[in-house]
Each structure stands twice: as C-alpha cells, then as structure tokens.
Amino acid sequence: MSAPTLAPRTTPSGYLLPSIHSAPPFFTQQPNPNTQAVVTEHWTKLILSYARHRRLFMLRVEDAEVAGNDWDEILRNEQIHRRLLPSHLEHIITDMVEKNRAVYEPARQTRSVLLYWRTPEEWAEVLHGWADATGQLNTILTFYEIIEPPVPSQLSGIPMTLLRKAISVLAKTSRAQIISVADGEGVRLLPGNSSR
C-alpha cells in the first residue's frame, strides 16, 4: 500500500498529532459500529488533548464546516486531503456528552459543547489549590477575579459555566461558600477538612 506514511507530526501550534491522523479512514464515519466506536474514542482523546494544549473550551459542529478556526490543525489534514465532516463531528460530540467528557453549552441544543479536558472535579482542585497558593482562602472573591486574575493562572479564561460547576463541587465538600457581592456572585474558598 503506497499511502502516506503513518507517523506522528507536529502542528504549527506545537501539538504532536498521533500517526492515526494521517490515515484517511480516520476522517470517515465507519459503517461498522465497533470500528466506529474505536475511531470515536481516538477522536475524543485527540480533541481533549488538543483542547488542553491550546486551552480551548468550546467545540462547535461549525468548526468542521468552516476553515480558518482554532480547530483546523486537527479537524483537517491537507497532506491527505481529508477533513472531518460536520455529521461525523456531531456523532463524536454526542458520544462525548454521553460519556461525560463534554456538556452541551448552551443547554437545549446539540451543536456546541463545553469540553471537559479537565472534569469539574479536577477544576475544583485547581481552584482550591490556586486560592491556597495565593493566600486567598477565606477571602471573598468575585467570579471575575478568578477568571481574570491580575497574575495569569490555570483558571484564566475558564468559562463561567465550568467555574460554577467547580465551585459547586467544592461547596458539596464544605470547601466553598457562594456569596452575593455588589456586582453579582462571589465565593469564599475555605480551608477544607482541616482538623480543628
């Protein structure tokens, strides 16, 4: 078979694409459900890994329809003249939501998702760790101060929906308390299971 070489390659953004990205069938929805399940799992891992690399939080079916967006490096492979079709991406997105690796955002539609390259539980730990490291436990913080901190952090630019989910996780373990503040909502992050 004189197909293009199946080898990993690095994108302009510095992301290392797996060798499967050079296989034309990877971009085609497979008729066999078992084969498609494997392809979908590979795409899911690729999407989440790439999103983490680029700090992308949203993925839309339109990203497969229109060129020139943040997702081009993985949704297209010009070397083999292939691209992921919108219907295939929609199938992958549905699977990701079913497996709790993404959530429809906004709700009540199926063409746009918030990606969980970190789960809300993992973001909760990042948030709590950040507050602890910056000496802000027991301090009332607005959501804006968390999303747009004076010193960039892992939380910079996190979507509000994801921040709320992380805070909710912390609230359930008595490590966060939601507080009304003058310009909306705030949170007090608490030390947690300290033995007093």
Side-chain angles (χ1 to χ4, degrees):
M1 179 168 130
S2 61
T5 343
L6 293 183
R9 78 184 162 83
T10 305
T11 68
S13 77
Y15 181 77
L16 184 65
L17 286 167
S19 53
I20 195 171
H21 195 266
S22 298
F26 186 54
F27 289 85
T28 309
Q29 225 167 327
Q30 300 299 311
N32 179 308
N34 294 333
T35 306
Q36 182 56 45
V38 171
V39 169
T40 299
E41 184 57 27
H42 278 291
W43 268 111
T44 297
K45 286 179 180 169
L46 176 60
I47 287 167
L48 293 176
S49 169
Y50 183 74
R52 186 178 195 128
H53 169 76
R54 295 279 313 273
R55 287 193 57 82
L56 301 172
F57 291 97
M58 299 298 295
L59 177 62
R60 298 165 186 84
V61 173
E62 291 75 42
D63 293 327
E65 295 169 343
V66 183
N69 61 62
D70 289 333
W71 293 95
D72 276 0
E73 289 185 332
I74 65 165
L75 298 184
R76 292 170 167 41
N77 186 335
E78 299 305 331
Q79 293 178 340
I80 59 170
H81 309 290
R82 291 280 199 247
R83 69 183 181 93
L84 192 65
L85 293 176
S87 58
H88 193 180
L89 180 55
E90 201 160 7
H91 172 82
I92 294 163
I93 282 174
T94 301
D95 188 74
M96 290 176 79
V97 170
E98 286 170 2
K99 293 180 176 161
N100 202 30
R101 290 159 134 181
V103 63
Y104 291 119
E105 178 69 26
R108 295 186 198 83
Q109 55 76 47
T110 57
R111 293 183 58 86
S112 173
V113 288
L114 176 63
L115 299 167
Y116 284 169
W117 44 269
R118 273 194 180 123
T119 64
E121 292 75 18
E122 289 168 332
W123 279 113
E125 294 310 315
V126 169
L127 173 58
H128 199 270
W130 169 79
D132 190 21
T134 57
Q136 298 186 86
L137 290 178
N138 285 318
T139 304
I140 297 172
L141 298 164
T142 65
F143 289 3
Y144 179 80
E145 288 172 312
I146 296 169
I147 293 173
E148 297 294 334
V151 177
S153 79
Q154 293 182 67
L155 297 156
S156 298
I158 183 176
M160 191 64 76
T161 308
L162 202 45
L163 178 60
R164 286 180 197 282
K165 288 177 187 283
I167 290 170
S168 173
V169 168
L170 290 173
K172 285 177 186 160
T173 58
S174 304
R175 293 189 295 159
Q177 187 178 29
I178 295 182
I179 295 169
S180 293
V181 291
D183 54 351
E185 288 178 290
V187 64
R188 177 185 285 133
L189 297 165
L190 307 166
N193 306 332
S194 59
S195 50
R196 282 187 174 185

